[in-house]
Amino acid sequence: MTVRTRADLSALPSYVPGKTVPGAIKLASNEVSAGPLPSVVRAIADAATAVNRYPDTAATDLVARLGEKLEVPTGQVAVGCGSVTLCQQLVQATCTEADEVVFAWRSFEAYPLVTAVVGAGQNRVPLTAGHGLDLDAMAAAITPKTRLVFVCNPNNPTGTALRRAEVERFIEQVPAETLVVIDEAYKEFVDDPDVPDGVELAKAQWAAGRDNVAVLRTFSKAYGLAGLRVGYAVGSPELADTLRKVYVPFSVNALAQVAALASLDAEDELMARCRAVVAERARVRGELLAAGYEVPESQANFVWLPLGERTAAFNEHCLEHKVVVRAFPGDGARVTVGEPEENDAFLAAARSFTP
Ligand code: PMP
């Protein structure tokens, strides 16, 4: 190639999505297995007749609805083409190449990628022995160059969740000019009342005159719209404004906007589905523990099996049993909690493997 692209990007790995294997059960991407609700499908079909027109790039109705739901001014809500895009927008909004992002590792795969795309430095902080975020070490890793810290709660892929007091203590330790992004992609699956609601934490900070906490959420998981790509960020008015400046126009498409609104209309039904996933999570974890696996307590719609060097063999074994999990070779496997019969198929595979 004669065109000169950025040399630093040539070594950057691409994001590796969960695999879809024909005829196999996919428990690899933390999706909700149940299909979209009929009311949501109808809203999408109705809106499909107008796709010759550009969408409302400001997603006015959706932003207004989210503002109402969260009880924050609409100016503090920014939407994006999935919350992964907002991760990148947040790094773009806060960092230049001279700056740095801190995040736990292992955590969401996209954090190092979007940071590298922006060209900022990164500081990965190892998890605790219990597979959770080590907030003390993360606070200690912040330098004068750190513009942003990703706090994934619950953490992908380990499922572990931080409690309110520890997150509050962490926020107090972070310098006021460093943004703390609480990524709550899996919030709706949390059933421990001590796990904080990030938006409530952020509001307390704003009320105290500090604007350095923002929260990310998505319609991809609990709301079952992974294929449509819509997520949102809640932050200070200035941060939300900056996110809108780095937003690629029209990137939340028309069908995604109406589907998100229809999903908010059907929230009770969708949250009931989440509770069923949470019940299944307890069953899956209990059975895995009984089969001799180490399984950290999960507050998300997946479980983590820290199998270390056995991970690749476990992945192969599951594939032979027609179950696709997400393997991080040398580290562990993440398994989405699906419908009961999907979980049964996975558990049968797991029981016939020696951890
Ligand atoms: N944050 C976390 C922690 C995630 O696990 C994911 C999806 N894997 C996302 C953000 C992005 O989700 P989406 O772009 O589908 O909204």
Side-chain angles (χ1 to χ4, degrees), residues 15 82-84 108 111 152 156 183 185-186 218 220-221 229-231:
Y15 181 81
S83 58
V84 67
F108 180 33
Y111 300 153
C152 191
N156 172 10
D183 184 344
Y186 302 98
T218 179
S220 296
K221 314 293 179 185
R229 317 301 308 125
V230 53

Side-chain angles (χ1 to χ4, degrees):
M1 186 160 78
T2 42
V3 170
R4 283 181 50 182
T5 55
R6 269 169 51 191
D8 61 318
L9 293 182
S10 62
L12 188 67
S14 299
Y15 181 81
V16 183
K19 275 186 297 198
T20 301
V21 176
I25 293 169
K26 186 184 178 205
L27 298 176
S29 297
N30 301 339
E31 298 144 332
V32 167
S33 288
L37 298 175
S39 60
V40 174
V41 174
R42 269 196 307 277
I44 296 169
D46 289 348
T49 57
V51 294
N52 53 312
R53 303 290 178 193
Y54 281 98
D56 170 9
T57 193
T60 314
D61 293 345
L62 179 57
V63 165
R65 189 67 184 279
L66 289 169
E68 248 168 62
K69 167 182 153 71
L70 303 167
E71 300 179 344
V72 294
T74 50
Q76 293 187 238
V77 179
V79 290
C81 175
S83 58
V84 67
T85 310
L86 285 160
C87 289
Q88 182 159 321
Q89 288 173 248
L90 283 160
V91 179
Q92 288 171 320
T94 54
C95 291
T96 67
E97 288 179 17
D99 302 318
E100 227 171 59
V101 177
V102 167
F103 49 83
W105 199 250
R106 180 173 292 279
S107 192
F108 180 33
E109 294 288 291
Y111 300 153
L113 295 178
V114 298
T115 303
V117 167
V118 174
Q122 51 183 269
N123 198 342
R124 303 180 185 199
V125 180
L127 298 176
T128 63
H131 312 283
L133 267 58
D134 187 340
L135 287 185
D136 287 339
M138 287 175 74
I142 294 172
T143 73
K145 288 184 183 174
T146 309
R147 296 276 67 81
L148 189 158
V149 185
F150 282 114
V151 174
C152 191
N153 199 37
N155 189 44
N156 172 10
T158 57
T160 53
L162 299 160
R163 282 13 187 207
R164 183 171 294 102
E166 47 187 343
V167 183
E168 284 172 350
R169 198 177 60 237
F170 174 74
I171 291 170
E172 274 166 29
Q173 289 172 269
V174 177
E177 65 273 21
T178 300
L179 179 67
V180 178
V181 175
I182 305 177
D183 184 344
E184 294 190 331
Y186 302 98
K187 191 209 176 299
E188 295 83 359
F189 302 100
V190 168
D191 67 348
D192 180 339
D194 287 339
V195 176
D197 175 316
V199 174
E200 294 311 318
L201 285 183
K203 283 181 189 169
Q205 293 300 307
W206 301 331
R210 285 170 57 112
D211 64 359
N212 69 332
V213 178
V215 180
L216 274 182
R217 295 207 184 144
T218 179
F219 283 92
S220 296
K221 314 293 179 185
Y223 293 85
L225 300 181
L228 282 173
R229 317 301 308 125
V230 53
Y232 57 96
V234 183
S236 70
E238 296 75 17
L239 181 74
D241 257 353
T242 313
L243 288 175
R244 283 188 280 271
K245 288 181 185 158
V246 297
Y247 170 81
V248 175
F250 308 114
S251 51
V252 179
N253 72 71
L255 304 185
Q257 292 185 33
V258 296
L261 282 163
S263 300
L264 290 170
D265 285 340
E267 204 159 34
D268 291 350
E269 212 173 329
L270 292 169
M271 292 309 118
R273 282 199 333 198
C274 291
R275 286 194 292 279
V277 169
V278 167
E280 276 293 287
R281 174 178 78 202
R283 180 176 77 92
V284 168
R285 178 167 184 255
E287 298 211 16
L288 288 168
L289 289 172
Y293 287 87
E294 180 188 353
V295 194
E297 197 203 323
S298 171
Q299 286 284 301
N301 66 337
F302 52 84
V303 290
W304 173 245
L305 305 177
L307 291 161
E309 295 310 318
R310 303 273 289 142
T311 303
F314 179 78
N315 186 40
E316 278 308 306
H317 178 83
C318 289
L319 277 176
E320 280 162 20
H321 286 74
K322 297 254 170 267
V323 179
V324 188
V325 303
R326 182 67 167 272
F328 299 94
D331 198 353
R334 189 193 68 198
V335 188
T336 306
V337 176
E339 294 288 292
E341 55 285 3
E342 295 176 318
N343 302 331
D344 285 342
F346 162 66
L347 287 168
R351 276 191 218 99
S352 57
F353 180 86
T354 311

